[in-house]
Amino acid sequence: MAMQNHRNSRPKTRSSKLETRNPRPKKGQLVSFDFMVSTILYFTVFLLAYNLSLSFINGFYSNYRNDIQHATAAYAADKLFTRGEVSWTNKSINDIGDIGILRSYGMLDTVKVGVFTNYTLQNSARMKSLLGAGAYSMKFEVRNSSNHILYSAGDLLNMSNTSLRYVDVIRRYSVLDSQPVRVDIFIWD
C-alpha cells in the first residue's frame, strides 16, 4: 500500500514552487515590453535632436539676416554721406544715379538734404533702391542739438511693434547751416 500511495501521489518539483513564488513573464511579454521601452527612448532622443537642430538653424539664419541688414545700413550711410552727383538735385527722381547730401567733408548741404527728404516722401522705394536698402524699411532723420527733428522721411518706425525684431541705426554727426546736427538712418526688417 505504501507503494501505491507513492505512485498515486504526485511528486513536488522544484519548478512548481518557483512558479508560485516568482512567476516569470513569458517570452512574448518581454519582447513587447523591450520594444515599447526602446520605441519611447528612440522618439525622445529624436524629438530632442529635432528641437536642437531647429533652434540652431533658426539662430544661424537670424544672425545671418542681422549681419546682412547691418551691412546694408552701413552701405546706405556710406552712399548717403558723399557729395553724390554734381547736380542730382535738379534731376527727376527717376534720373538720379548717385545721391549724396554732403557739401564738403562733415558739412551737410541744406538743398540736398531738403531734396532728399522730399524725394523720399514722394517715392520711398526709389530712394531706398538708390541707397541699396530696397529690401528693408528705412527712415531718415536730421535732428538739431536740442533734439528737434529738422528733416524726416521714410517708413513709419513704430518701436512698440512686437513683430519688430531688429532695428539697425547708423548715426552720424555733422554740421548743417553752421549748426551741429545728428543724422540717423534706421533700417529694419
Side-chain angles (χ1 to χ4, degrees), residues 3-185:
M3 282 298 256
Q4 253 181 346
N5 277 345
H6 182 61
R7 282 185 185 172
N8 289 339
S9 69
R10 203 166 161 203
K12 291 186 179 179
T13 61
R14 195 175 170 121
S15 65
S16 65
K17 285 182 183 180
L18 288 177
E19 287 178 357
T20 56
R21 281 189 193 163
N22 188 10
R24 286 200 291 172
K26 296 179 182 171
K27 278 189 175 183
Q29 290 173 333
L30 282 175
V31 169
S32 58
F33 179 74
D34 287 347
F35 179 73
M36 183 178 65
V37 169
S38 64
T39 304
I40 289 171
L41 283 174
Y42 172 78
F43 281 114
T44 303
V45 169
F46 176 77
L47 289 175
L48 181 66
Y50 180 74
N51 284 338
L52 287 174
S53 66
L54 277 183
S55 65
F56 174 75
I57 289 169
N58 288 338
F60 177 77
Y61 180 71
S62 177
N63 289 339
Y64 175 75
R65 295 263 312 157
N66 291 344
D67 290 346
I68 294 290
Q69 182 177 326
H70 180 73
T72 301
Y75 179 74
D78 287 346
K79 282 196 78 165
L80 190 61
F81 286 97
T82 63
R83 289 179 149 193
E85 291 178 8
V86 176
S87 60
W88 72 265
T89 56
N90 298 330
K91 293 183 177 180
S92 158
I93 193 168
N94 295 321
D95 296 332
I96 299 172
D98 191 21
I99 58 174
I101 58 173
L102 293 182
R103 182 177 338 136
S104 62
Y105 182 77
M107 304 284 290
L108 294 176
D109 188 333
T110 307
V111 173
K112 289 180 179 180
V113 172
V115 171
F116 176 76
T117 303
N118 289 336
Y119 280 178
T120 303
L121 290 171
Q122 289 175 18
N123 190 346
S124 178
R126 172 72 177 137
M127 297 312 277
K128 286 191 290 187
S129 71
L130 285 173
L131 293 175
Y136 297 99
S137 298
M138 184 186 86
K139 184 169 181 67
F140 167 79
E141 286 183 351
V142 177
R143 295 176 179 261
N144 64 11
S145 58
S146 303
N147 208 26
H148 293 126
I149 297 175
L150 302 175
Y151 297 94
S152 178
D155 301 316
L156 179 63
L157 177 60
N158 183 3
M159 293 302 269
S160 64
N161 185 355
T162 57
S163 66
L164 195 64
R165 293 186 311 184
Y166 187 78
V167 178
D168 207 345
V169 181
I170 301 294
R171 180 168 286 159
R172 302 278 171 93
Y173 294 94
S174 189
V175 175
L176 178 67
D177 294 333
S178 68
Q179 298 295 320
V181 293
R182 181 182 84 199
V183 181
D184 292 329
I185 299 174

